[in-house]
Amino acid sequence: GAGDSFAAHMTIALAHGLPLEEAAAIAHAAGRCYVKWPHNRPPYPYEIRKDIEPGRGKVLAHSDLPMLRKSVPGRLVWTNGVWRLPHAGHAWILRWAREQGDVLAVGVNTDESAERIRPSGNFILPLAERIEMLAGMEAVDWIVPFAENNPCDAIEALQPDVLVSSREYVKAKNILGSDLVKDVRIAPASPYARHATDIVKELRR
């Protein structure tokens, strides 16, 4: 049970030379994660990280994606973007995306990837700041940075049930990953009229 999970993680942490306080924090997190799931399965490492640090703990490596797929019993939703200057419209579409399933994973281009796909001169917040903003949104369960120009490798590894795209990509006929996911949903237009480009123009004026 949860006690066994606590004891096992405490033993492993101490065996790796962690201080008692840090080992106990990990063990407590493991116990809390254990009782969250109906079939009492052992917690995955990324679940423990998220329990200990709810914000930054949402960030997943590419190698975590197959495990995340296995750990989600319900509908897993994916959406992605540069999120170059997170704003109210982004918060709105992320909430909508989360409502399409049970867990929302959000892909975000790294700095190098964002610079390659965006025209020169576009203002883009550093990845660390974009992740911090996304992590602070309640609708976002997990964050997946990717260095490629498109998220197809991440989508293929994750195998989400639903892919959510915004209307701008429909107009461009460029919904990346739509051939990898059976259920593709287009988010309605946001009630917030201003986009990142508009905000940057206003700031520059």
Side-chain angles (χ1 to χ4, degrees):
D4 293 330
S5 183
F6 175 95
H9 284 82
M10 173 71 89
T11 301
I12 293 171
L14 291 174
H16 279 78
L18 296 180
L20 179 60
E21 183 176 346
E22 189 173 343
I26 292 172
H28 277 289
R32 286 192 295 269
C33 291
Y34 183 90
V35 299
K36 288 179 181 179
W37 299 104
H39 302 297
N40 296 329
R41 63 164 175 77
Y44 288 95
Y46 55 83
E47 294 173 330
I48 295 174
R49 291 197 303 268
K50 184 179 178 183
D51 185 273
I52 294 173
E53 193 175 9
R56 291 182 180 274
K58 292 182 178 183
V59 181
L60 295 176
H62 191 279
S63 58
D64 292 323
L65 300 183
M67 287 190 293
L68 178 62
R69 174 66 277 181
K70 292 179 181 178
S71 73
V72 175
R75 290 173 65 77
L76 178 57
V77 182
W78 169 275
T79 192
N80 63 272
V82 175
W83 317 105
R84 65 190 184 100
L85 181 63
H87 54 79
H90 287 153
W92 187 90
I93 193 173
L94 289 168
R95 283 196 300 271
W96 189 89
R98 180 63 174 77
E99 291 169 358
Q100 308 312 302
D102 301 291
V103 172
L104 174 62
V106 178
V108 57
N109 295 78
T110 61
D111 293 333
E112 295 79 8
S113 174
E115 289 174 4
R116 286 197 301 269
I117 67 173
R118 289 287 182 178
S120 60
N122 271 278
F123 177 81
I124 302 174
L125 284 174
L127 178 62
E129 295 183 34
R130 289 181 281 136
I131 285 178
E132 193 71 31
M133 293 291 289
L134 291 169
M137 296 181 185
E138 185 178 358
V140 177
D141 294 298
W142 301 103
I143 300 169
V144 184
F146 59 92
E148 298 79 15
N149 287 3
N150 65 64
C152 291
D153 286 348
I155 293 172
E156 189 169 13
L158 184 58
Q159 298 181 14
D161 300 291
V162 182
L163 186 154
V164 169
S165 181
S166 66
R167 306 184 80 80
E168 63 180 294
Y169 294 105
V170 176
K171 294 177 182 177
K173 297 181 180 180
N174 188 30
I175 303 178
L176 298 170
S178 59
D179 57 329
L180 301 172
V181 183
K182 292 182 179 179
D183 190 350
V184 178
R185 303 186 184 184
I186 309 305
S190 164
Y192 301 99
R194 293 194 304 174
H195 297 278
T197 301
D198 303 319
I199 295 171
V200 171
K201 285 180 180 178
E202 290 180 19
L203 290 173
R204 284 174 173 167
R205 282 201 297 266

